[in-house]
Amino acid sequence: MQTPSIKRSLFLLSFLFTGVLVAQDKPLGNETVIVVKPYTPSVNDAFKIKETPVLGDSVSLEKKPIKYSIFSVPVASTFTPSKGRATKVEKDKRIKLYDNYITLGFGTYSNVLAEFYSNLEISKSDNFGVYLTHNSSQGGIEDVRLDDKFYDTELNLNYSSRNKKSSWNTELGLQHQLFNWYGLPEQTRLTNELVTAIDPQQNYISGILGGKLELYDSFLNKASANYRYFGDSYDSAEHNFKADGAFEVNIADELISTKVFADVLSGKFDKGYNDPNELNYSQMIFGITPSLLILRDDLTLNLGASFVYGLDTENSDSSFYIYPQVTASYRLAGDYFIPYAGLEGSLSQNTYYNFAQENPYVSPTLNIAPTDKTYDAYVGAKGKLTNSIGYNLKGGYASEINKALFLANFSNPSSTEDYAYGNSFGVVYDDINTLSFSGEINVDVNRDFKLGLNGSFFSYNSEFEAEAWNLPEMKASLFMDYQITEKWFAGANLFYTGERKDREETIDGGGALGSRTITLDGFTDLNANLGYRFNDQLSIFAKGNNLLGDNYERWSNFPVQGIQVMAGATYKFDYK
């Protein structure tokens, strides 16, 4: 008879073998179990279960593959999605660019306008250009006793080259201008015979030769040099040579730039206005302007100074100047509000050429000297009100020593020159302090319609002269550009210049000469143009100047032409 312990052992063994038989694919065979001794448990047999048990089973069980399938049932749906449609993007018609064009127009006062431009491609990197322009009028201003016609013809030849490392260009320019000193003062007591004998014609001849160089991977960033000759019908001659270079280097992530420049001027006039002796002048200006550009997030700060040496070789006089060159701007509200400020100065070369371009009625008897702009301090703000409206507001105060002012010449009874009847202008110099305020706003109504408005106000304080002669107290302009349709286009400009002061000669009952200060009225000038484009090559235009019909005086005793209308055509083409 078996003991209870033997029965438990047999039960456990039979249970384990049964589990194995169930887990196997095939049943096990008959085996004999021999019990050596009965089971006697002890404490030593107890052991601690590890967190990660090690499987010591010598039988490796392979997982059976699982096969499954989804029983899908179709569901009826009445939803039909609409097809997407791509939004159309308006694409501008590609404009054919032509290398050449010619313009010809005719108008009232026998006005003639002619332009010709041609660009010849020498190679993939080199181009040669020709530009010729002519603008003339046969005159015809009412109540003018002298001839008032004018001509302005200019020819420019240029050659340019560009590659990966540099670009350069050279130019040769020739210009001929004809004007007349037709502004006889009303109080001038001249007989008709004497007026008929006056030949008020003045011819200006100008020529310029120069070039520019730009290097992309060099500390020498840009360099330029040019020489200009300017002369007239009275044996006046002026020579002006200019050269400058800009150097840039990066040190500790900061940009340090240096500009060097030279401006050499010499010239002569056959005589002075009240002096029969020849007038000679010679001015040299040399300078260097180092500056440090600091960029910090929204801050842009330029710290620099100009060191300038001026030499008057004719009078053996020289001076050394130091000018501030400091500007700063900060994006306080992105592109919507950018305050800025600056403190700058310069020694500016005055030339006979520049005077004649600003006021062609000057006499060939001028005193030429540079202007010392001691400082020009300004503060302002610019930005945009919306994506289509931009603005710029600025206020400033400038101090200038030897600022050139145009002043009407007195008649010279001892001279027989055709400009000596009070019908020309001279130049005087004064120390002028100027307080100014200006503002502008530009509106892009859409890509076809643009508007712009700007205005400036000035207050002058002169040191020696009674007034700041011929400087306006206000300037304003309004412009419009409108692409009406694909074929039609139009534009308009409205200019306003405020009152100016000038000097007028007086003669008392005894014939003695005197003078008084006069005020020239402000004037408004409206110009407009309208055009029609037949195709990419041919277009016609009509334009009008001084459409308000005001025979205002830009310079005292020199009224301008009234309403001027011109019509013409432009043709673009290629040689190929």
Side-chain angles (χ1 to χ4, degrees), residues 119-129 158-163 166-168:
N119 180 65
L120 304 176
E121 185 177 349
I122 307 301
S123 66
K124 291 183 178 180
S125 60
D126 294 8
N127 291 80
F128 176 73
N158 63 82
Y159 191 96
S160 62
S161 179
R162 179 184 296 271
N163 54 51
S166 65
S167 65
W168 58 270

Side-chain angles (χ1 to χ4, degrees), residues 269 271-273 279-281 283 312 315 350-352 355 363-370 402 404-405 425-429:
F269 294 107
K271 62 177 68 175
Y273 193 76
L279 293 179
N280 295 280
Y281 57 94
Q283 306 286 343
D312 183 351
N315 298 311
N350 292 311
T351 66
Y352 182 29
F355 287 148
S363 61
T365 59
L366 305 179
N367 178 27
I368 305 295
N402 268 0
L405 306 171
F425 291 83
V427 172
V428 295
Y429 294 87

Side-chain angles (χ1 to χ4, degrees), residues 108-341:
T108 56
Y109 294 93
S110 300
N111 290 351
V112 176
L113 173 66
E115 290 184 2
F116 171 74
Y117 175 77
S118 180
N119 180 65
L120 304 176
E121 185 177 349
I122 307 301
S123 66
K124 291 183 178 180
S125 60
D126 294 8
N127 291 80
F128 176 73
V130 179
Y131 178 66
L132 175 65
T133 178
H134 172 83
N135 187 19
S136 65
S137 171
Q138 297 303 314
I141 302 175
E142 294 182 3
D143 302 326
V144 171
R145 304 173 68 186
L146 297 176
D147 191 1
D148 60 322
K149 65 182 178 182
F150 73 86
Y151 299 100
D152 189 351
T153 304
E154 184 175 0
L155 172 65
N156 182 276
L157 307 176
N158 63 82
Y159 191 96
S160 62
S161 179
R162 179 184 296 271
N163 54 51
K164 294 181 179 180
K165 295 184 178 181
S166 65
S167 65
W168 58 270
N169 69 76
T170 60
E171 68 167 336
L172 171 64
L174 301 173
Q175 186 177 22
H176 170 239
Q177 297 171 296
L178 183 151
F179 293 94
N180 284 275
W181 292 296
Y182 62 86
L184 286 176
E186 293 182 359
Q187 68 276 12
T188 302
R189 300 176 182 180
L190 301 176
T191 62
N192 291 332
E193 291 78 8
L194 183 56
V195 171
T196 303
I198 296 176
D199 180 13
Q201 182 173 295
Q202 168 68 301
N203 288 276
Y204 295 122
I205 303 296
S206 175
I208 185 171
L209 176 64
K212 295 181 180 180
L213 171 66
E214 184 174 358
L215 302 176
Y216 304 139
D217 298 320
S218 174
F219 71 97
L220 174 60
N221 189 17
K222 296 179 181 179
S224 66
N226 65 71
Y227 162 77
R228 181 188 296 277
Y229 168 81
F230 186 67
D232 61 20
S233 302
Y234 289 79
D235 296 327
S236 305
E238 181 179 80
H239 308 271
N240 187 201
F241 174 78
K242 293 181 179 181
D244 62 71
F247 303 85
E248 292 184 354
V249 293
N250 284 302
I251 299 178
D253 296 331
E254 304 292 354
L255 180 63
I256 298 177
S257 63
T258 302
K259 179 181 179 181
V260 294
F261 54 91
D263 192 336
V264 180
L265 177 72
S266 66
K268 73 175 186 66
F269 294 107
D270 188 54
K271 62 177 68 175
Y273 193 76
N274 294 309
D275 185 359
N277 298 318
E278 184 177 272
L279 293 179
N280 295 280
Y281 57 94
S282 179
Q283 306 286 343
M284 297 184 181
I285 298 176
F286 304 95
I288 181 172
T289 305
S291 63
L292 171 64
L293 180 61
I294 299 175
L295 300 175
R296 295 291 185 274
D297 296 330
D298 295 325
L299 174 67
T300 300
L301 179 62
N302 187 74
L303 302 176
S306 287
F307 303 90
V308 181
Y309 177 73
L311 176 62
D312 183 351
T313 58
E314 190 66 30
N315 298 311
S316 300
D317 186 22
S318 63
S319 300
F320 183 75
Y321 308 86
I322 300 178
Y323 299 104
Q325 301 292 341
V326 180
T327 61
S329 65
Y330 186 76
R331 294 181 176 272
L332 191 59
D335 291 334
Y336 292 94
F337 183 66
I338 306 174
Y340 63 89

Side-chain angles (χ1 to χ4, degrees), residues 86-92:
T87 302
K88 293 182 179 180
V89 178
E90 294 185 11
K91 185 177 181 181
D92 291 336

Side-chain angles (χ1 to χ4, degrees), residues 187-189 410-414 505-515:
Q187 68 276 12
T188 302
R189 300 176 182 180
F410 286 154
S411 61
N412 186 0
S414 62
E505 187 178 63
T506 60
I507 303 176
D508 62 16
L513 297 178
S515 66

